[in-house]
Amino acid sequence: MSIAVNMKKMTMVQAITEALKVMLEEDASTLVIGEDVGRNGGVFRATDGLFELFGDDRVIDTPLAESGLIGTSIGLAMNGFKPVVEIQFLGFIYPGFNQLITHATRIRTRTQSRYTVPLTIRVPYGAGVRAPEIHSDSTEALFTHIPGLKVVVPSTPHDAKGMLISSIKDPDPVLFLEPMKMYRSGKGDVPTGSYTIPLGKAYRRRKGEDVSIFAWGAMVRIAEKAAETAAKNGIECDVIDLRTLYPLDKEMIAESVQKTGRAVIIHEAPSSGGVGSEVITIINDTSFLYMKAPIKKVTGYDTPVPLFTLEDDYLPDEKKVVRAIEETVRF
């Protein structure tokens, strides 16, 4: 990881803006494309000020046409550009799913690596912000089953900037999921200038010997809070922020559970078919004989995200995670 020297306090959305600015300055082939990303600065203001700095041939407003956005960007990527597409919410990406699964992720194989698709798709996702229907989806698992597409989910401003720069520089397509709940929920130290964080590498947020907790996005903060509460009762948790959901960091997953012998997995997506199930498969394949207790999952329910009054009940919270930690220790 290359890191600039000076640090600045930023929110996650500010760090994302900084990453885009760095790449627009550093690489003339970088383009920012999407609905309202120009004069409006994006639905969450993640592209605020970039239109004024770089003009309408680098920061490009488009019609409401997700399939067209992604399809056009595939063509640009195959012809020397590095398009960064903003889809306003994860629930809006589905019309463009065909472009991703049929073209973006297959061009390298289809052309025997004569062409690649250095395309980054930024997408706000997740619940907890009282958004309307379809605006709060957490369907990341749909995209982790597509070979050729990296799926990245930062949980801190520092990681958001470094991993977005890495995503834009990657020669293959990256889905960059941004937890909406974390956009302005706090500030963190972010290096100024350009730096990168390797994709496919998890990060240990807290060291512990008793229970491994695996989480990503907004659920990392829930995991950390639950670990703090568990520590008061003498249970030390190893909190692992997966950061990249495809490819998963199998080595760190195995290393953590082989140390603790217990695991709790947290995600706000529905339980069935979620990424948590793939983490369990990795644990079974690499570390089954190390396990002291069954693996616990704390997840959303197998329903659409409910409207405002039930949203908090739907999401994993500190209390639910602490209960899972205690149950796996008592087993």
Side-chain angles (χ1 to χ4, degrees):
M1 176 172 64
S2 56
I3 301 180
V5 177
N6 297 323
M7 307 292 280
K8 184 178 179 180
K9 292 284 187 184
M10 296 184 193
T11 63
M12 180 178 283
V13 76
Q14 288 171 333
I16 289 165
T17 307
E18 281 293 305
L20 294 170
K21 182 181 177 185
V22 164
M23 287 306 299
L24 286 163
E25 290 175 339
E26 183 179 297
D27 188 341
S29 68
T30 301
L31 306 174
V32 172
I33 302 172
E35 300 155 6
D36 296 326
V37 298
R39 295 185 185 280
N40 254 6
V43 65
F44 290 101
R45 302 300 180 259
T47 57
D48 193 35
L50 299 181
F51 180 85
E52 290 75 15
L53 285 173
F54 299 100
D56 61 4
D57 59 343
R58 302 283 307 284
V59 182
I60 304 166
D61 278 322
T62 68
L64 303 178
E66 286 77 12
S67 181
L69 272 172
I70 296 173
T72 300
S73 296
I74 292 169
L76 287 166
M78 291 176 65
N79 285 277
F81 291 95
K82 295 185 178 70
V84 184
V85 175
E86 178 181 300
I87 303 294
Q88 291 187 335
F89 297 89
L90 185 55
F92 295 179
I93 200 173
Y94 308 133
F97 190 78
N98 178 57
Q99 295 286 0
L100 274 176
I101 195 168
T102 306
H103 299 298
T105 59
R106 296 174 186 261
I107 293 296
R108 179 185 282 277
T109 302
R110 187 179 293 160
T111 66
Q112 298 183 11
S113 293
R114 287 193 295 273
Y115 289 94
T116 61
V117 181
L119 163 65
T120 303
I121 302 176
R122 294 182 39 250
V123 193
Y125 87 102
V129 296
R130 304 298 190 263
E133 184 189 9
I134 309 176
H135 292 66
S136 301
D137 286 10
S138 185
T139 51
E140 61 271 22
L142 295 177
F143 302 91
T144 61
H145 199 64
I146 308 175
L149 178 68
K150 296 180 180 71
V151 180
V152 176
V153 190
S155 69
T156 67
H158 176 273
D159 284 1
K161 181 178 177 181
M163 297 184 83
L164 182 52
I165 292 173
S166 294
S167 298
I168 298 169
K169 291 184 175 184
D170 197 278
D172 295 301
V174 179
L175 181 67
F176 191 86
L177 297 175
E178 301 167 3
M180 289 187 288
K181 194 173 183 178
M182 309 299 288
Y183 267 157
R184 294 178 173 85
S185 62
K187 292 188 175 183
D189 289 327
V190 178
T192 58
S194 183
Y195 67 97
T196 58
I197 295 173
L199 307 184
K201 295 295 182 183
Y203 186 81
R204 178 172 279 108
R205 296 288 170 197
R206 180 186 179 103
K207 292 182 179 180
E209 305 291 329
D210 299 318
V211 181
S212 298
I213 305 179
F214 299 100
W216 55 91
M219 295 297 101
V220 172
R221 183 167 295 178
I222 299 297
E224 290 175 317
K225 289 179 179 179
E228 291 171 6
T229 299
K232 296 175 183 177
N233 297 320
I235 303 171
E236 292 297 335
C237 296
D238 206 40
V239 178
I240 306 299
D241 180 353
L242 292 177
R243 302 200 297 187
T244 302
L245 302 184
Y246 189 88
L248 285 163
D249 189 343
K250 297 179 181 180
E251 290 76 17
M252 181 167 278
I253 292 170
E255 183 234 320
S256 179
V257 295
Q258 288 175 16
K259 175 178 64 173
T260 65
R262 303 179 182 91
V264 174
I265 302 163
I266 314 169
H267 60 72
E268 62 182 283
S271 179
S272 296
V275 176
S277 298
E278 184 64 21
V279 175
I280 292 173
T281 298
I282 292 169
I283 293 170
N284 284 338
D285 288 347
T286 64
S287 312
F288 180 76
L289 296 179
Y290 291 83
M291 300 308 291
K292 303 172 185 175
I295 300 164
K296 291 283 186 180
K297 287 198 303 182
V298 183
T299 71
Y301 296 94
D302 288 346
T303 68
V305 178
L307 295 177
F308 312 144
T309 55
L310 295 175
E311 194 173 32
D312 290 340
D313 296 314
Y314 175 88
L315 289 169
D317 59 21
E318 179 186 344
K319 184 177 179 180
K320 294 175 185 176
V321 176
V322 169
R323 186 186 308 125
I325 292 168
E326 292 174 346
E327 286 174 357
T328 192
V329 169
R330 287 199 306 264
F331 178 80

